[in-house]
Amino acid sequence: MDGRYEPVESPDETTVFPYHDLTPPTTADAARARKTVSRHLPETPLVRSEHLSAATGADVYLKREDTLPTGAFKVRGGVNLLATLDEEFRERGVLAASSGNHGLSIAWAGREFGVPVTIGVPEDANAGKVAAMERLGAEVIRHGPDFDAAREHVEELAVETGKRYVHSGNEPKLLAGVATAGLEVVEELPEVDRLYCPVGGGTAAVGYCLTVGAVTDADVVGVQSAAAPAMYRAYHEDTLASHDRMETGAEGVATRVPFALPMGILRDGLADFTLVPEDAIGDAVARLFAEERIVMEGACGTGVAAALGADDIAGETVVVPVSGRNIDHAKLDAALAEYDGER
């Protein structure tokens, strides 16, 4: 046995290896993950947004995942997965593909647990995120024009090297770790009515479905850019086929291929799934910085844009995750240049 693993049949268009368990995680798995995650990461604040509350007529709270060490929610999943990594991979190492925050998550957890990490990113990946991965000790490989091209390359490397490929969505322990954020929301604000969650691969939305959606009466609403609607299409059309349109500037929601495990959970767990236009995302990013001095990525802007565009949330208690702060400087500058403060 040379330690290499060959892919097995996949229900979607991504590569699945024998060590990938596609059993959906549960709320109980999230509770177990919390014991692990809480030993390595702090709880994040849930704070009322005075500006968004006034703009919508709702009580809007922001779950500040941007305050985590990597500046994004995904590190919860990385910690939970690498904490229980099979011994054979601890020396050999792990591989992941990322547009940024998943890679940061695995790089941070790899340093925490002494596991070598290699991350594949698109050629035009966010320079700040790449530099942060390298500071955490990860080897970064640039490949292809977008996330899915980088992902396909990393999947090939996983076959060649025998390293553990950490899929960005089809990983139950990763999903359970991410879901710990929702348990914190439930404890602090059990009376929540609605939660708007950005969807790229769907991991954050899965986490909130397993927690906020499962143990409260709240509606969890998924949100994606209209310029990258792969998961939206998968949800509404019951398909796992890739989507050719992937033109969003928000790299956290920039994917062409739906992931089977998250989508299976989202089909049952989401109350709705909606799209927002690119200009509304940029406006949301600029608005939160201009009005509340919160730096957030375009992916987070989808949730804010959906809340601002809703005509039926007045009087409700609403949560919007600030899922990450790692926006490229040029993108933030461009959004601020367009913001007029009146919309």
Side-chain angles (χ1 to χ4, degrees), residues 27 30-31 179-186 206-216:
T27 305
T180 58
L183 294 177
E184 295 173 13
V185 171
V186 169
V206 164
Y208 289 114
C209 286
L210 293 176
T211 53
V212 175
V215 302
T216 77

Side-chain angles (χ1 to χ4, degrees), residues 124-136:
D124 65 348
N126 180 312
K129 292 180 182 180
V130 170
M133 290 181 224
E134 292 174 334
R135 282 196 299 270
L136 291 167

Side-chain angles (χ1 to χ4, degrees), residues 92-98 103 106-107 115-121 133 137-142 153-154 157 161 163-166:
R92 193 179 304 160
V94 298
L95 285 159
S98 177
I106 302 305
V115 177
V117 172
T118 302
I119 308 295
V121 302
M133 290 181 224
E139 177 188 0
V140 178
I141 299 171
R142 293 179 181 268
H153 180 62
V154 166
L157 289 177
T161 65
K163 294 182 179 181
R164 170 65 156 88
Y165 171 47
V166 182

Side-chain angles (χ1 to χ4, degrees), residues 117-261:
V117 172
T118 302
I119 308 295
V121 302
E123 291 174 355
D124 65 348
N126 180 312
K129 292 180 182 180
V130 170
M133 290 181 224
E134 292 174 334
R135 282 196 299 270
L136 291 167
E139 177 188 0
V140 178
I141 299 171
R142 293 179 181 268
H143 182 88
D146 58 24
F147 163 75
D148 288 296
R151 173 182 56 77
E152 291 163 4
H153 180 62
V154 166
E155 289 166 356
E156 293 172 358
L157 289 177
V159 174
E160 295 171 7
T161 65
K163 294 182 179 181
R164 170 65 156 88
Y165 171 47
V166 182
H167 193 282
S168 57
N170 292 334
E171 298 276 6
K173 287 188 177 179
L174 186 150
L175 296 174
V178 167
T180 58
L183 294 177
E184 295 173 13
V185 171
V186 169
E187 286 186 359
E188 192 167 350
L189 196 69
E191 66 274 19
V192 59
D193 297 304
R194 196 179 320 207
L195 186 146
Y196 287 102
C197 188
V199 176
T203 56
V206 164
Y208 289 114
C209 286
L210 293 176
T211 53
V212 175
V215 302
T216 77
D217 294 327
D219 289 336
V220 179
V221 180
V223 192
Q224 195 165 45
S225 168
M231 291 289 278
Y232 172 87
R233 178 189 174 200
Y235 175 83
H236 286 286
E237 300 179 15
D238 194 19
T239 179
L240 288 175
S242 63
H243 196 286
D244 290 338
R245 189 172 188 210
M246 205 292 296
E247 301 163 355
T248 181
E251 65 262 22
V253 292
T255 181
R256 289 185 280 107
V257 180
F259 298 152
L261 182 57

